[in-house]
Amino acid sequence: MQSLTLTKEQYQKMIAHVELHLPLEACGLLAGHNSKVETVLEVTNQAQSPVRFVMDPIEQLNAFEWIDSNDMELVGIFHSHPTGPETVSPTDIAEAAYAVVYVILARVDDTWYARGFWIEDGEYNEITLRVL
Ligand SMILES: [Zn+2]
């Protein structure tokens, strides 16, 4: 996958979600088809930490079931880095368990920046995020 496409509304929904949970990390799932997001699903960060996230397992399971029953696929996982970095952390690489785009929302000087990454076998490559 070379790019992931989101609408402006979906992008804003992610930003609003991570902004709301400052100073903690926040997370969620992106569902859709191929490389196009159709729905942003917010998930509680069970870790309640400013430096890591663990998706609430019940909410995650419910979200996976919702994605299945709506004939969509998991295409991305997003989470915030309230104090950076703008790229995936060693923990993100170690804990990446799905073949999907990992979207990192990093806050730098009160502004959020989003970048996408594909993580595989301990390596990562940047994926273009297209916001239309
Ligand atoms: Zn991270």
Side-chain angles (χ1 to χ4, degrees), residues 45-84:
N45 177 7
Q46 193 183 48
Q48 295 289 295
S49 160
V51 292
R52 63 189 297 261
F53 80 100
V54 176
M55 290 204 179
D56 180 285
I58 303 292
E59 285 183 35
Q60 187 177 3
L61 186 66
N62 287 342
F64 282 174
E65 285 179 356
W66 185 92
I67 292 168
D68 270 353
S69 61
N70 284 275
D71 288 323
M72 289 186 208
E73 293 155 22
L74 181 68
V75 296
I77 295 176
F78 72 93
H79 72 279
S80 60
H81 287 173
T83 55

PDB file of all heavy atoms in Angstrom, residues 45-84:
ATOM      1  N   ASN A  45      -8.106   4.552  25.209  1.00  0.00           N
ATOM      2  CA  ASN A  45      -6.757   4.120  25.548  1.00  0.00           C
ATOM      3  C   ASN A  45      -6.775   3.614  26.990  1.00  0.00           C
ATOM      4  O   ASN A  45      -6.811   4.388  27.941  1.00  0.00           O
ATOM      5  CB  ASN A  45      -5.771   5.289  25.421  1.00  0.00           C
ATOM      6  CG  ASN A  45      -4.356   4.899  25.834  1.00  0.00           C
ATOM      7  OD1 ASN A  45      -4.076   3.724  26.100  1.00  0.00           O
ATOM      8  ND2 ASN A  45      -3.483   5.884  25.870  1.00  0.00           N
ATOM      9  N   GLN A  46      -6.758   2.280  27.126  1.00  0.00           N
ATOM     10  CA  GLN A  46      -6.851   1.664  28.446  1.00  0.00           C
ATOM     11  C   GLN A  46      -5.632   1.997  29.302  1.00  0.00           C
ATOM     12  O   GLN A  46      -5.717   2.011  30.526  1.00  0.00           O
ATOM     13  CB  GLN A  46      -6.962   0.138  28.263  1.00  0.00           C
ATOM     14  CG  GLN A  46      -7.365  -0.601  29.506  1.00  0.00           C
ATOM     15  CD  GLN A  46      -7.369  -2.105  29.266  1.00  0.00           C
ATOM     16  OE1 GLN A  46      -6.418  -2.676  28.724  1.00  0.00           O
ATOM     17  NE2 GLN A  46      -8.441  -2.745  29.646  1.00  0.00           N
ATOM     18  N   ALA A  47      -4.503   2.280  28.674  1.00  0.00           N
ATOM     19  CA  ALA A  47      -3.279   2.583  29.423  1.00  0.00           C
ATOM     20  C   ALA A  47      -3.366   3.940  30.125  1.00  0.00           C
ATOM     21  O   ALA A  47      -2.659   4.181  31.099  1.00  0.00           O
ATOM     22  CB  ALA A  47      -2.070   2.552  28.493  1.00  0.00           C
ATOM     23  N   GLN A  48      -4.227   4.840  29.627  1.00  0.00           N
ATOM     24  CA  GLN A  48      -4.363   6.176  30.222  1.00  0.00           C
ATOM     25  C   GLN A  48      -2.992   6.779  30.492  1.00  0.00           C
ATOM     26  O   GLN A  48      -2.692   7.217  31.605  1.00  0.00           O
ATOM     27  CB  GLN A  48      -5.186   6.099  31.525  1.00  0.00           C
ATOM     28  CG  GLN A  48      -6.632   5.679  31.309  1.00  0.00           C
ATOM     29  CD  GLN A  48      -7.455   6.768  30.628  1.00  0.00           C
ATOM     30  OE1 GLN A  48      -7.658   7.836  31.185  1.00  0.00           O
ATOM     31  NE2 GLN A  48      -7.914   6.510  29.411  1.00  0.00           N
ATOM     32  N   SER A  49      -2.173   6.780  29.449  1.00  0.00           N
ATOM     33  CA  SER A  49      -0.779   7.222  29.572  1.00  0.00           C
ATOM     34  C   SER A  49      -0.471   8.294  28.542  1.00  0.00           C
ATOM     35  O   SER A  49      -1.024   8.272  27.444  1.00  0.00           O
ATOM     36  CB  SER A  49       0.136   6.003  29.361  1.00  0.00           C
ATOM     37  OG  SER A  49       1.440   6.417  29.010  1.00  0.00           O
ATOM     38  N   PRO A  50       0.441   9.226  28.882  1.00  0.00           N
ATOM     39  CA  PRO A  50       0.850  10.217  27.890  1.00  0.00           C
ATOM     40  C   PRO A  50       1.892   9.681  26.907  1.00  0.00           C
ATOM     41  O   PRO A  50       2.227  10.351  25.941  1.00  0.00           O
ATOM     42  CB  PRO A  50       1.448  11.346  28.744  1.00  0.00           C
ATOM     43  CG  PRO A  50       1.896  10.675  29.983  1.00  0.00           C
ATOM     44  CD  PRO A  50       0.989   9.497  30.213  1.00  0.00           C
ATOM     45  N   VAL A  51       2.415   8.476  27.168  1.00  0.00           N
ATOM     46  CA  VAL A  51       3.491   7.958  26.314  1.00  0.00           C
ATOM     47  C   VAL A  51       3.216   6.593  25.683  1.00  0.00           C
ATOM     48  O   VAL A  51       4.033   6.071  24.923  1.00  0.00           O
ATOM     49  CB  VAL A  51       4.844   7.905  27.056  1.00  0.00           C
ATOM     50  CG1 VAL A  51       5.348   9.316  27.351  1.00  0.00           C
ATOM     51  CG2 VAL A  51       4.737   7.094  28.338  1.00  0.00           C
ATOM     52  N   ARG A  52       2.057   5.989  25.997  1.00  0.00           N
ATOM     53  CA  ARG A  52       1.750   4.740  25.293  1.00  0.00           C
ATOM     54  C   ARG A  52       0.245   4.521  25.235  1.00  0.00           C
ATOM     55  O   ARG A  52      -0.522   5.167  25.936  1.00  0.00           O
ATOM     56  CB  ARG A  52       2.470   3.529  25.883  1.00  0.00           C
ATOM     57  CG  ARG A  52       2.140   3.164  27.301  1.00  0.00           C
ATOM     58  CD  ARG A  52       3.103   2.081  27.781  1.00  0.00           C
ATOM     59  NE  ARG A  52       2.966   0.849  27.019  1.00  0.00           N
ATOM     60  CZ  ARG A  52       2.259  -0.200  27.445  1.00  0.00           C
ATOM     61  NH1 ARG A  52       1.647  -0.180  28.593  1.00  0.00           N
ATOM     62  NH2 ARG A  52       2.185  -1.294  26.700  1.00  0.00           N
ATOM     63  N   PHE A  53      -0.140   3.606  24.364  1.00  0.00           N
ATOM     64  CA  PHE A  53      -1.561   3.283  24.275  1.00  0.00           C
ATOM     65  C   PHE A  53      -1.778   1.782  24.233  1.00  0.00           C
ATOM     66  O   PHE A  53      -0.950   1.036  23.712  1.00  0.00           O
ATOM     67  CB  PHE A  53      -2.211   3.956  23.058  1.00  0.00           C
ATOM     68  CG  PHE A  53      -1.983   3.249  21.746  1.00  0.00           C
ATOM     69  CD1 PHE A  53      -2.958   2.439  21.198  1.00  0.00           C
ATOM     70  CD2 PHE A  53      -0.784   3.399  21.071  1.00  0.00           C
ATOM     71  CE1 PHE A  53      -2.757   1.789  19.985  1.00  0.00           C
ATOM     72  CE2 PHE A  53      -0.568   2.741  19.864  1.00  0.00           C
ATOM     73  CZ  PHE A  53      -1.547   1.937  19.320  1.00  0.00           C
ATOM     74  N   VAL A  54      -2.888   1.368  24.835  1.00  0.00           N
ATOM     75  CA  VAL A  54      -3.361  -0.011  24.767  1.00  0.00           C
ATOM     76  C   VAL A  54      -4.854   0.095  24.512  1.00  0.00           C
ATOM     77  O   VAL A  54      -5.581   0.691  25.315  1.00  0.00           O
ATOM     78  CB  VAL A  54      -3.115  -0.773  26.097  1.00  0.00           C
ATOM     79  CG1 VAL A  54      -3.703  -2.174  26.020  1.00  0.00           C
ATOM     80  CG2 VAL A  54      -1.633  -0.818  26.438  1.00  0.00           C
ATOM     81  N   MET A  55      -5.307  -0.413  23.394  1.00  0.00           N
ATOM     82  CA  MET A  55      -6.731  -0.306  23.090  1.00  0.00           C
ATOM     83  C   MET A  55      -7.560  -1.121  24.074  1.00  0.00           C
ATOM     84  O   MET A  55      -7.216  -2.263  24.382  1.00  0.00           O
ATOM     85  CB  MET A  55      -7.001  -0.808  21.671  1.00  0.00           C
ATOM     86  CG  MET A  55      -6.449   0.127  20.637  1.00  0.00           C
ATOM     87  SD  MET A  55      -7.320  -0.066  19.080  1.00  0.00           S
ATOM     88  CE  MET A  55      -6.438   1.174  18.146  1.00  0.00           C
ATOM     89  N   ASP A  56      -8.632  -0.505  24.559  1.00  0.00           N
ATOM     90  CA  ASP A  56      -9.572  -1.235  25.402  1.00  0.00           C
ATOM     91  C   ASP A  56     -10.028  -2.469  24.623  1.00  0.00           C
ATOM     92  O   ASP A  56     -10.579  -2.335  23.528  1.00  0.00           O
ATOM     93  CB  ASP A  56     -10.764  -0.334  25.715  1.00  0.00           C
ATOM     94  CG  ASP A  56     -11.777  -1.046  26.585  1.00  0.00           C
ATOM     95  OD1 ASP A  56     -12.511  -1.914  26.066  1.00  0.00           O
ATOM     96  OD2 ASP A  56     -11.840  -0.731  27.785  1.00  0.00           O
ATOM     97  N   PRO A  57      -9.779  -3.695  25.168  1.00  0.00           N
ATOM     98  CA  PRO A  57     -10.022  -4.906  24.368  1.00  0.00           C
ATOM     99  C   PRO A  57     -11.489  -5.129  23.996  1.00  0.00           C
ATOM    100  O   PRO A  57     -11.767  -5.635  22.918  1.00  0.00           O
ATOM    101  CB  PRO A  57      -9.485  -6.038  25.245  1.00  0.00           C
ATOM    102  CG  PRO A  57      -9.313  -5.464  26.600  1.00  0.00           C
ATOM    103  CD  PRO A  57      -9.165  -3.994  26.462  1.00  0.00           C
ATOM    104  N   ILE A  58     -12.409  -4.755  24.883  1.00  0.00           N
ATOM    105  CA  ILE A  58     -13.834  -4.945  24.573  1.00  0.00           C
ATOM    106  C   ILE A  58     -14.257  -3.997  23.454  1.00  0.00           C
ATOM    107  O   ILE A  58     -14.927  -4.389  22.493  1.00  0.00           O
ATOM    108  CB  ILE A  58     -14.713  -4.690  25.828  1.00  0.00           C
ATOM    109  CG1 ILE A  58     -14.286  -5.594  26.981  1.00  0.00           C
ATOM    110  CG2 ILE A  58     -16.196  -4.873  25.481  1.00  0.00           C
ATOM    111  CD1 ILE A  58     -14.548  -7.067  26.774  1.00  0.00           C
ATOM    112  N   GLU A  59     -13.831  -2.741  23.568  1.00  0.00           N
ATOM    113  CA  GLU A  59     -14.166  -1.771  22.511  1.00  0.00           C
ATOM    114  C   GLU A  59     -13.540  -2.174  21.179  1.00  0.00           C
ATOM    115  O   GLU A  59     -14.146  -2.020  20.119  1.00  0.00           O
ATOM    116  CB  GLU A  59     -13.656  -0.378  22.901  1.00  0.00           C
ATOM    117  CG  GLU A  59     -14.498   0.295  23.959  1.00  0.00           C
ATOM    118  CD  GLU A  59     -13.984   1.699  24.259  1.00  0.00           C
ATOM    119  OE1 GLU A  59     -13.499   2.378  23.346  1.00  0.00           O
ATOM    120  OE2 GLU A  59     -14.057   2.090  25.437  1.00  0.00           O
ATOM    121  N   GLN A  60     -12.325  -2.691  21.247  1.00  0.00           N
ATOM    122  CA  GLN A  60     -11.638  -3.107  20.024  1.00  0.00           C
ATOM    123  C   GLN A  60     -12.383  -4.275  19.377  1.00  0.00           C
ATOM    124  O   GLN A  60     -12.607  -4.284  18.162  1.00  0.00           O
ATOM    125  CB  GLN A  60     -10.194  -3.510  20.349  1.00  0.00           C
ATOM    126  CG  GLN A  60      -9.373  -3.792  19.106  1.00  0.00           C
ATOM    127  CD  GLN A  60      -7.919  -4.116  19.415  1.00  0.00           C
ATOM    128  OE1 GLN A  60      -7.513  -4.199  20.577  1.00  0.00           O
ATOM    129  NE2 GLN A  60      -7.141  -4.307  18.387  1.00  0.00           N
ATOM    130  N   LEU A  61     -12.797  -5.231  20.196  1.00  0.00           N
ATOM    131  CA  LEU A  61     -13.547  -6.380  19.685  1.00  0.00           C
ATOM    132  C   LEU A  61     -14.870  -5.922  19.065  1.00  0.00           C
ATOM    133  O   LEU A  61     -15.239  -6.352  17.971  1.00  0.00           O
ATOM    134  CB  LEU A  61     -13.806  -7.374  20.826  1.00  0.00           C
ATOM    135  CG  LEU A  61     -14.448  -8.693  20.434  1.00  0.00           C
ATOM    136  CD1 LEU A  61     -13.510  -9.513  19.555  1.00  0.00           C
ATOM    137  CD2 LEU A  61     -14.833  -9.491  21.679  1.00  0.00           C
ATOM    138  N   ASN A  62     -15.566  -5.041  19.767  1.00  0.00           N
ATOM    139  CA  ASN A  62     -16.837  -4.518  19.245  1.00  0.00           C
ATOM    140  C   ASN A  62     -16.619  -3.793  17.917  1.00  0.00           C
ATOM    141  O   ASN A  62     -17.424  -3.924  16.987  1.00  0.00           O
ATOM    142  CB  ASN A  62     -17.480  -3.558  20.244  1.00  0.00           C
ATOM    143  CG  ASN A  62     -18.053  -4.299  21.442  1.00  0.00           C
ATOM    144  OD1 ASN A  62     -18.278  -5.505  21.392  1.00  0.00           O
ATOM    145  ND2 ASN A  62     -18.277  -3.584  22.533  1.00  0.00           N
ATOM    146  N   ALA A  63     -15.532  -3.044  17.840  1.00  0.00           N
ATOM    147  CA  ALA A  63     -15.234  -2.307  16.607  1.00  0.00           C
ATOM    148  C   ALA A  63     -14.936  -3.284  15.472  1.00  0.00           C
ATOM    149  O   ALA A  63     -15.419  -3.104  14.346  1.00  0.00           O
ATOM    150  CB  ALA A  63     -14.045  -1.370  16.828  1.00  0.00           C
ATOM    151  N   PHE A  64     -14.164  -4.345  15.755  1.00  0.00           N
ATOM    152  CA  PHE A  64     -13.864  -5.348  14.725  1.00  0.00           C
ATOM    153  C   PHE A  64     -15.150  -6.009  14.231  1.00  0.00           C
ATOM    154  O   PHE A  64     -15.320  -6.252  13.041  1.00  0.00           O
ATOM    155  CB  PHE A  64     -12.904  -6.417  15.270  1.00  0.00           C
ATOM    156  CG  PHE A  64     -11.454  -5.980  15.324  1.00  0.00           C
ATOM    157  CD1 PHE A  64     -10.493  -6.801  15.903  1.00  0.00           C
ATOM    158  CD2 PHE A  64     -11.039  -4.769  14.781  1.00  0.00           C
ATOM    159  CE1 PHE A  64      -9.151  -6.423  15.950  1.00  0.00           C
ATOM    160  CE2 PHE A  64      -9.706  -4.371  14.826  1.00  0.00           C
ATOM    161  CZ  PHE A  64      -8.764  -5.207  15.417  1.00  0.00           C
ATOM    162  N   GLU A  65     -16.059  -6.304  15.158  1.00  0.00           N
ATOM    163  CA  GLU A  65     -17.334  -6.935  14.769  1.00  0.00           C
ATOM    164  C   GLU A  65     -18.172  -5.978  13.930  1.00  0.00           C
ATOM    165  O   GLU A  65     -18.817  -6.377  12.967  1.00  0.00           O
ATOM    166  CB  GLU A  65     -18.106  -7.406  16.010  1.00  0.00           C
ATOM    167  CG  GLU A  65     -17.483  -8.662  16.592  1.00  0.00           C
ATOM    168  CD  GLU A  65     -18.185  -9.160  17.845  1.00  0.00           C
ATOM    169  OE1 GLU A  65     -19.131  -8.493  18.320  1.00  0.00           O
ATOM    170  OE2 GLU A  65     -17.761 -10.211  18.363  1.00  0.00           O
ATOM    171  N   TRP A  66     -18.156  -4.699  14.315  1.00  0.00           N
ATOM    172  CA  TRP A  66     -18.904  -3.693  13.546  1.00  0.00           C
ATOM    173  C   TRP A  66     -18.329  -3.598  12.127  1.00  0.00           C
ATOM    174  O   TRP A  66     -19.084  -3.551  11.153  1.00  0.00           O
ATOM    175  CB  TRP A  66     -18.820  -2.335  14.253  1.00  0.00           C
ATOM    176  CG  TRP A  66     -19.659  -1.292  13.592  1.00  0.00           C
ATOM    177  CD1 TRP A  66     -20.962  -0.978  13.885  1.00  0.00           C
ATOM    178  CD2 TRP A  66     -19.260  -0.437  12.506  1.00  0.00           C
ATOM    179  NE1 TRP A  66     -21.402   0.007  13.031  1.00  0.00           N
ATOM    180  CE2 TRP A  66     -20.389   0.359  12.177  1.00  0.00           C
ATOM    181  CE3 TRP A  66     -18.083  -0.279  11.780  1.00  0.00           C
ATOM    182  CZ2 TRP A  66     -20.354   1.321  11.155  1.00  0.00           C
ATOM    183  CZ3 TRP A  66     -18.046   0.662  10.750  1.00  0.00           C
ATOM    184  CH2 TRP A  66     -19.178   1.455  10.455  1.00  0.00           C
ATOM    185  N   ILE A  67     -17.004  -3.606  12.015  1.00  0.00           N
ATOM    186  CA  ILE A  67     -16.342  -3.517  10.703  1.00  0.00           C
ATOM    187  C   ILE A  67     -16.745  -4.710   9.832  1.00  0.00           C
ATOM    188  O   ILE A  67     -17.118  -4.555   8.672  1.00  0.00           O
ATOM    189  CB  ILE A  67     -14.801  -3.439  10.881  1.00  0.00           C
ATOM    190  CG1 ILE A  67     -14.408  -2.103  11.525  1.00  0.00           C
ATOM    191  CG2 ILE A  67     -14.086  -3.629   9.550  1.00  0.00           C
ATOM    192  CD1 ILE A  67     -12.962  -2.035  12.018  1.00  0.00           C
ATOM    193  N   ASP A  68     -16.717  -5.924  10.437  1.00  0.00           N
ATOM    194  CA  ASP A  68     -17.118  -7.140   9.712  1.00  0.00           C
ATOM    195  C   ASP A  68     -18.555  -7.061   9.245  1.00  0.00           C
ATOM    196  O   ASP A  68     -18.860  -7.346   8.088  1.00  0.00           O
ATOM    197  CB  ASP A  68     -16.991  -8.366  10.643  1.00  0.00           C
ATOM    198  CG  ASP A  68     -15.620  -8.991  10.541  1.00  0.00           C
ATOM    199  OD1 ASP A  68     -14.839  -8.570   9.667  1.00  0.00           O
ATOM    200  OD2 ASP A  68     -15.333  -9.903  11.348  1.00  0.00           O
ATOM    201  N   SER A  69     -19.440  -6.672  10.164  1.00  0.00           N
ATOM    202  CA  SER A  69     -20.866  -6.705   9.821  1.00  0.00           C
ATOM    203  C   SER A  69     -21.232  -5.603   8.838  1.00  0.00           C
ATOM    204  O   SER A  69     -22.313  -5.629   8.242  1.00  0.00           O
ATOM    205  CB  SER A  69     -21.737  -6.640  11.083  1.00  0.00           C
ATOM    206  OG  SER A  69     -21.492  -5.444  11.768  1.00  0.00           O
ATOM    207  N   ASN A  70     -20.351  -4.636   8.636  1.00  0.00           N
ATOM    208  CA  ASN A  70     -20.601  -3.593   7.639  1.00  0.00           C
ATOM    209  C   ASN A  70     -19.782  -3.812   6.368  1.00  0.00           C
ATOM    210  O   ASN A  70     -19.648  -2.900   5.549  1.00  0.00           O
ATOM    211  CB  ASN A  70     -20.307  -2.216   8.229  1.00  0.00           C
ATOM    212  CG  ASN A  70     -21.418  -1.767   9.163  1.00  0.00           C
ATOM    213  OD1 ASN A  70     -22.409  -1.217   8.718  1.00  0.00           O
ATOM    214  ND2 ASN A  70     -21.273  -2.047  10.441  1.00  0.00           N
ATOM    215  N   ASP A  71     -19.268  -5.065   6.221  1.00  0.00           N
ATOM    216  CA  ASP A  71     -18.497  -5.438   5.032  1.00  0.00           C
ATOM    217  C   ASP A  71     -17.328  -4.505   4.744  1.00  0.00           C
ATOM    218  O   ASP A  71     -17.051  -4.170   3.600  1.00  0.00           O
ATOM    219  CB  ASP A  71     -19.407  -5.524   3.800  1.00  0.00           C
ATOM    220  CG  ASP A  71     -20.296  -6.754   3.871  1.00  0.00           C
ATOM    221  OD1 ASP A  71     -19.795  -7.793   4.347  1.00  0.00           O
ATOM    222  OD2 ASP A  71     -21.469  -6.662   3.484  1.00  0.00           O
ATOM    223  N   MET A  72     -16.689  -4.063   5.805  1.00  0.00           N
ATOM    224  CA  MET A  72     -15.490  -3.250   5.636  1.00  0.00           C
ATOM    225  C   MET A  72     -14.296  -4.041   6.137  1.00  0.00           C
ATOM    226  O   MET A  72     -14.429  -5.147   6.666  1.00  0.00           O
ATOM    227  CB  MET A  72     -15.610  -1.946   6.436  1.00  0.00           C
ATOM    228  CG  MET A  72     -16.607  -0.965   5.871  1.00  0.00           C
ATOM    229  SD  MET A  72     -16.534   0.581   6.796  1.00  0.00           S
ATOM    230  CE  MET A  72     -18.210   1.161   6.572  1.00  0.00           C
ATOM    231  N   GLU A  73     -13.125  -3.442   5.937  1.00  0.00           N
ATOM    232  CA  GLU A  73     -11.887  -4.028   6.437  1.00  0.00           C
ATOM    233  C   GLU A  73     -11.198  -3.013   7.336  1.00  0.00           C
ATOM    234  O   GLU A  73     -11.414  -1.812   7.186  1.00  0.00           O
ATOM    235  CB  GLU A  73     -10.938  -4.331   5.272  1.00  0.00           C
ATOM    236  CG  GLU A  73     -11.416  -5.419   4.338  1.00  0.00           C
ATOM    237  CD  GLU A  73     -10.811  -5.260   2.949  1.00  0.00           C
ATOM    238  OE1 GLU A  73      -9.745  -4.608   2.844  1.00  0.00           O
ATOM    239  OE2 GLU A  73     -11.419  -5.756   2.002  1.00  0.00           O
ATOM    240  N   LEU A  74     -10.353  -3.528   8.216  1.00  0.00           N
ATOM    241  CA  LEU A  74      -9.498  -2.631   8.994  1.00  0.00           C
ATOM    242  C   LEU A  74      -8.400  -2.147   8.047  1.00  0.00           C
ATOM    243  O   LEU A  74      -7.669  -2.962   7.484  1.00  0.00           O
ATOM    244  CB  LEU A  74      -8.885  -3.397  10.174  1.00  0.00           C
ATOM    245  CG  LEU A  74      -7.974  -2.579  11.094  1.00  0.00           C
ATOM    246  CD1 LEU A  74      -8.789  -1.549  11.863  1.00  0.00           C
ATOM    247  CD2 LEU A  74      -7.225  -3.503  12.056  1.00  0.00           C
ATOM    248  N   VAL A  75      -8.325  -0.836   7.834  1.00  0.00           N
ATOM    249  CA  VAL A  75      -7.298  -0.306   6.922  1.00  0.00           C
ATOM    250  C   VAL A  75      -6.239   0.516   7.662  1.00  0.00           C
ATOM    251  O   VAL A  75      -5.163   0.772   7.122  1.00  0.00           O
ATOM    252  CB  VAL A  75      -7.908   0.538   5.773  1.00  0.00           C
ATOM    253  CG1 VAL A  75      -8.780  -0.341   4.875  1.00  0.00           C
ATOM    254  CG2 VAL A  75      -8.688   1.726   6.298  1.00  0.00           C
ATOM    255  N   GLY A  76      -6.557   0.919   8.898  1.00  0.00           N
ATOM    256  CA  GLY A  76      -5.579   1.722   9.623  1.00  0.00           C
ATOM    257  C   GLY A  76      -5.823   1.726  11.119  1.00  0.00           C
ATOM    258  O   GLY A  76      -6.911   1.403  11.595  1.00  0.00           O
ATOM    259  N   ILE A  77      -4.772   2.066  11.852  1.00  0.00           N
ATOM    260  CA  ILE A  77      -4.848   2.250  13.300  1.00  0.00           C
ATOM    261  C   ILE A  77      -4.190   3.596  13.577  1.00  0.00           C
ATOM    262  O   ILE A  77      -3.080   3.843  13.106  1.00  0.00           O
ATOM    263  CB  ILE A  77      -4.099   1.133  14.056  1.00  0.00           C
ATOM    264  CG1 ILE A  77      -4.791  -0.213  13.811  1.00  0.00           C
ATOM    265  CG2 ILE A  77      -4.010   1.449  15.553  1.00  0.00           C
ATOM    266  CD1 ILE A  77      -4.064  -1.402  14.437  1.00  0.00           C
ATOM    267  N   PHE A  78      -4.899   4.468  14.284  1.00  0.00           N
ATOM    268  CA  PHE A  78      -4.282   5.766  14.589  1.00  0.00           C
ATOM    269  C   PHE A  78      -4.082   5.935  16.079  1.00  0.00           C
ATOM    270  O   PHE A  78      -4.816   5.374  16.887  1.00  0.00           O
ATOM    271  CB  PHE A  78      -5.110   6.925  14.009  1.00  0.00           C
ATOM    272  CG  PHE A  78      -6.412   7.208  14.703  1.00  0.00           C
ATOM    273  CD1 PHE A  78      -6.482   8.150  15.732  1.00  0.00           C
ATOM    274  CD2 PHE A  78      -7.581   6.557  14.332  1.00  0.00           C
ATOM    275  CE1 PHE A  78      -7.683   8.438  16.369  1.00  0.00           C
ATOM    276  CE2 PHE A  78      -8.801   6.834  14.961  1.00  0.00           C
ATOM    277  CZ  PHE A  78      -8.848   7.774  15.983  1.00  0.00           C
ATOM    278  N   HIS A  79      -3.037   6.668  16.439  1.00  0.00           N
ATOM    279  CA  HIS A  79      -2.858   7.069  17.834  1.00  0.00           C
ATOM    280  C   HIS A  79      -2.011   8.330  17.865  1.00  0.00           C
ATOM    281  O   HIS A  79      -1.365   8.696  16.876  1.00  0.00           O
ATOM    282  CB  HIS A  79      -2.257   5.947  18.687  1.00  0.00           C
ATOM    283  CG  HIS A  79      -0.813   5.650  18.453  1.00  0.00           C
ATOM    284  ND1 HIS A  79      -0.372   4.878  17.408  1.00  0.00           N
ATOM    285  CD2 HIS A  79       0.297   6.019  19.139  1.00  0.00           C
ATOM    286  CE1 HIS A  79       0.944   4.782  17.467  1.00  0.00           C
ATOM    287  NE2 HIS A  79       1.392   5.474  18.507  1.00  0.00           N
ATOM    288  N   SER A  80      -2.073   9.001  19.007  1.00  0.00           N
ATOM    289  CA  SER A  80      -1.393  10.287  19.117  1.00  0.00           C
ATOM    290  C   SER A  80      -0.066  10.174  19.852  1.00  0.00           C
ATOM    291  O   SER A  80       0.130   9.280  20.678  1.00  0.00           O
ATOM    292  CB  SER A  80      -2.296  11.295  19.836  1.00  0.00           C
ATOM    293  OG  SER A  80      -2.620  10.838  21.128  1.00  0.00           O
ATOM    294  N   HIS A  81       0.807  11.089  19.530  1.00  0.00           N
ATOM    295  CA  HIS A  81       2.036  11.331  20.275  1.00  0.00           C
ATOM    296  C   HIS A  81       1.931  12.778  20.744  1.00  0.00           C
ATOM    297  O   HIS A  81       2.367  13.688  20.025  1.00  0.00           O
ATOM    298  CB  HIS A  81       3.272  11.121  19.381  1.00  0.00           C
ATOM    299  CG  HIS A  81       3.575   9.697  19.058  1.00  0.00           C
ATOM    300  ND1 HIS A  81       4.546   9.331  18.166  1.00  0.00           N
ATOM    301  CD2 HIS A  81       3.038   8.550  19.540  1.00  0.00           C
ATOM    302  CE1 HIS A  81       4.593   7.994  18.099  1.00  0.00           C
ATOM    303  NE2 HIS A  81       3.680   7.501  18.913  1.00  0.00           N
ATOM    304  N   PRO A  82       1.340  12.989  21.936  1.00  0.00           N
ATOM    305  CA  PRO A  82       1.072  14.357  22.397  1.00  0.00           C
ATOM    306  C   PRO A  82       2.329  15.224  22.492  1.00  0.00           C
ATOM    307  O   PRO A  82       2.248  16.443  22.372  1.00  0.00           O
ATOM    308  CB  PRO A  82       0.426  14.157  23.765  1.00  0.00           C
ATOM    309  CG  PRO A  82      -0.166  12.790  23.707  1.00  0.00           C
ATOM    310  CD  PRO A  82       0.793  11.993  22.865  1.00  0.00           C
ATOM    311  N   THR A  83       3.473  14.592  22.702  1.00  0.00           N
ATOM    312  CA  THR A  83       4.719  15.369  22.775  1.00  0.00           C
ATOM    313  C   THR A  83       5.749  14.840  21.780  1.00  0.00           C
ATOM    314  O   THR A  83       6.944  14.923  21.995  1.00  0.00           O
ATOM    315  CB  THR A  83       5.305  15.313  24.204  1.00  0.00           C
ATOM    316  OG1 THR A  83       5.468  13.947  24.589  1.00  0.00           O
ATOM    317  CG2 THR A  83       4.383  15.985  25.210  1.00  0.00           C
ATOM    318  N   GLY A  84       5.259  14.299  20.678  1.00  0.00           N
ATOM    319  CA  GLY A  84       6.151  13.756  19.663  1.00  0.00           C
ATOM    320  C   GLY A  84       6.565  12.336  19.989  1.00  0.00           C
ATOM    321  O   GLY A  84       6.107  11.794  20.993  1.00  0.00           O
TER     322      GLY A  84
END
